[in-house]
């Protein structure tokens, strides 16, 4: 679920906030880095649990209508298509997911149930819902397509939900696009026969990704003076006070990655940090960073300082 780019962003954020030198104890900062990454999974679970609660809200609303003293025939025999949606039922009845909810203390919507109402009302007011409810039965594919569209068009872009997520955890705002994309991919691929563990994917692709996060953080921090000197040598005509702080962090990380990670192609490293700079720094940052890294890369190649392994890594 977690991409290398998002790992780089997480490391960048912690390094940017670090207030100390390479000789200081940074164990708390490393712990926060790993906590911040792990907390992405709580956001993922929270959004899936929201869908479960919306389904419950739909059922309770229907039961309330049926109990009306002067209920119409339609209200006595309502369309239960949303309640019986096969994808929502798979999510609600997934035992592995229930255990994950419990282990991660996912109880947000019991405490803040007004947001369940917000999403539920947005769904039933939508054209998606009106079209979906034109029939009383559906195939698994139709149920899946409906839930994918609901998540993509109603849940993910909801501004009130966005504000709620921002208030709960500031780092979640950067995580939200990655988590939303992961959920959409799972929803598009879910099948009637999907394994119980399908909805509880691993946060890291493999152990190497977690090791990469720790190594990139530590190596950049422990060598920040030397890395800073390399940048200064290539920016003699620049007013250092005018160089964005985030650009310096990204340059240090990129240089560290070029020199300390032999299995990562140089093109991948440079492209990744340019893309991150476009999103998190100034409009001209990517041009500046690209210029510095291009000079350093040519110098490393000429001096034989790059220790890349495998074909096409240079």
């Amino acid at each position: 679920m977690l991409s290398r780019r998002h790992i780089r962003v997480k490391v960048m954020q912690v390094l940017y906030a670090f207030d100390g030198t390479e000789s200081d104890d940074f164990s708390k900062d490393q712990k926060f880095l790993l906590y911040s990454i792990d907390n992405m999974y709580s956001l993922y679970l929270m959004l899936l649990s929201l869908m479960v609660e919306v389904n419950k809200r739909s059922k309770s609303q229907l039961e309330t209508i049926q109990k009306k003293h002067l209920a119409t025939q339609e209200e006595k025999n309502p369309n239960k298509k949303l309640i019986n949606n096969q994808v929502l039922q798979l999510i609600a009845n997934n035992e592995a997911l229930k255990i994950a909810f419990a282990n991660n203390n996912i109880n947000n919507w019991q405490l803040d149930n007004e947001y369940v109402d917000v999403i539920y009302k947005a769904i039933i007011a939508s054209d998606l819902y009106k079209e979906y409810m034109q029939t009383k039965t559906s195939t698994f594919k139709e149920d899946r397509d409906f839930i994918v569209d609901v998540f993509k068009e109603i849940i993910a872009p909801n501004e009130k939900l966005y504000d709620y997520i921002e208030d709960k955890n500031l780092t979640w705002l950067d995580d939200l696009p990655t988590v939303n994309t992961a959920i959409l991919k799972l929803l598009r691929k879910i099948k009637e026969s999907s394994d119980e563990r399908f909805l509880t994917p691993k946060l890291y692709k493999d152990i190497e990704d977690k090791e990469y996060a720790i190594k990139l953080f530590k190596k950049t921090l422990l060598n920040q003076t030397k890395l800073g000197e390399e940048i200064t040598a290539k920016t003699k005509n620049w007013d250092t006070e005018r160089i964005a702080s985030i650009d310096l962090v990204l340059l240090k990380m990129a240089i560290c990655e070029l020199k300390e990670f032999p299995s990562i192609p140089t093109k991948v490293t440079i492209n990744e940090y340019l893309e991150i700079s476009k999103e998190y720094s100034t409009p001209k940052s990517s041009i500046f960073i690209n210029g510095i890294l291009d000079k350093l890369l040519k110098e490393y190649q000429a001096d034989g300082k790059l220790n890349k392994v495998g074909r096409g890594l240079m």
Side-chain angles (χ1 to χ4, degrees):
M1 183 167 70
L2 185 63
S3 69
R4 281 284 178 101
R5 181 176 298 178
H6 205 74
I7 290 175
R8 291 180 177 97
V9 169
K10 287 291 187 183
V11 172
M12 174 198 75
Q13 290 170 338
V14 177
L15 288 173
Y16 181 75
F18 181 75
D19 184 21
T21 67
E22 56 200 17
S23 62
D24 292 327
D25 179 22
F26 53 83
S27 58
K28 289 183 179 179
D29 299 272
Q30 181 175 315
K31 185 177 180 180
F32 177 76
L33 168 66
L34 296 177
Y35 167 78
S36 178
I37 293 174
D38 290 343
N39 209 30
M40 280 184 65
Y41 203 66
S42 294
L43 176 59
Y44 165 79
L45 292 173
M46 190 180 80
L47 290 174
L48 278 189
S49 70
L50 174 61
M51 298 174 73
V52 174
E53 294 303 317
V54 166
N55 188 242
K56 290 180 182 177
R57 177 70 175 80
S58 177
K59 185 176 181 180
S60 64
Q61 180 69 10
L62 184 144
E63 290 172 348
T64 300
I65 291 173
Q66 286 181 309
K67 291 176 182 178
K68 285 173 62 176
H69 181 61
L70 298 174
T72 65
Q73 191 61 34
E74 184 180 350
E75 289 171 334
K76 289 179 181 178
N77 297 286
N79 189 342
K80 298 182 180 180
K81 194 173 177 181
L82 179 59
I83 295 171
N84 296 329
N85 182 283
Q86 296 171 76
V87 173
L88 289 180
Q89 291 302 311
L90 276 178
I91 296 172
N93 297 322
N94 187 289
E95 292 301 324
L97 202 52
K98 289 179 182 178
I99 293 171
F101 289 158
N103 290 343
N104 290 272
N105 298 314
I106 305 299
N107 59 2
N108 300 71
W109 314 121
Q110 286 78 30
L111 302 173
D112 301 308
N113 58 16
E114 64 267 30
Y115 293 93
V116 177
D117 286 341
V118 166
I119 298 300
Y120 172 72
K121 289 176 180 177
I123 291 172
I124 63 173
S126 69
D127 291 335
L128 281 174
Y129 177 80
K130 292 171 185 174
E131 183 179 347
Y132 177 68
M133 297 296 283
Q134 286 179 358
T135 61
K136 289 196 173 184
T137 60
S138 58
T139 63
F140 185 86
K141 182 181 182 304
E142 184 184 351
D143 283 352
R144 181 179 60 204
D145 290 346
F146 172 71
I147 295 303
V148 167
D149 289 340
V150 163
F151 189 86
K152 181 174 64 176
E153 298 181 25
I154 298 175
I155 296 177
N158 188 275
E159 291 185 6
K160 290 185 178 179
L161 183 60
Y162 181 91
D163 290 341
Y164 172 79
I165 289 170
E166 181 180 19
D167 288 341
K168 281 295 177 181
N169 191 314
L170 190 59
T171 65
W172 276 351
L173 290 184
D174 289 310
D175 300 335
L176 196 55
T178 299
V179 172
N180 282 340
T181 299
I183 291 175
L184 277 173
K185 284 182 179 178
L186 285 174
L187 291 176
R188 287 183 176 123
K189 293 180 180 179
I190 197 169
K191 300 176 182 178
E192 294 174 84
S193 58
S194 290
D195 186 271
E196 279 277 319
R197 294 167 293 180
F198 181 77
L199 290 171
T200 52
K202 294 179 180 179
L203 178 58
Y204 294 96
K205 182 181 178 181
D206 47 43
I207 189 62
E208 284 78 13
D209 275 1
K210 186 172 184 178
E211 292 172 349
Y212 164 78
I214 296 171
K215 182 179 178 181
L216 179 61
F217 171 73
K218 291 176 70 173
K219 287 287 186 179
T220 304
L221 199 56
L222 288 171
N223 294 285
Q224 59 176 322
T225 299
K226 187 176 180 180
L227 293 170
E229 290 172 353
E230 290 201 53
I231 296 168
T232 300
K234 294 293 179 287
T235 56
K236 290 180 179 179
N237 296 326
W238 288 76
D239 181 355
T240 55
E241 292 184 359
R242 294 182 61 188
I243 300 175
S245 297
I246 201 76
D247 291 353
L248 291 175
V249 172
L250 290 173
L251 277 169
K252 288 176 182 178
M253 290 173 63
I255 296 168
C256 177
E257 192 168 301
L258 286 171
K259 299 176 77 172
E260 300 288 346
F261 293 81
S263 64
I264 301 178
T266 56
K267 287 184 179 179
V268 170
T269 293
I270 293 174
N271 288 339
E272 284 292 290
Y273 287 99
L274 292 182
E275 290 303 313
I276 293 171
S277 70
K278 290 175 185 178
E279 186 173 354
Y280 289 92
S281 198
T282 70
K284 296 182 179 180
S285 290
S286 62
I287 299 172
F288 169 69
I289 290 174
N290 187 53
I292 301 303
L293 292 180
D294 184 59
K295 290 179 183 178
L296 286 170
L297 182 58
K298 289 177 180 177
E299 183 180 292
Y300 295 157
Q301 290 172 334
D303 296 343
K305 291 182 178 179
L306 284 183
N307 183 31
K308 296 294 182 180
V309 295
R311 290 186 177 182
L313 293 182
M314 297 296 285

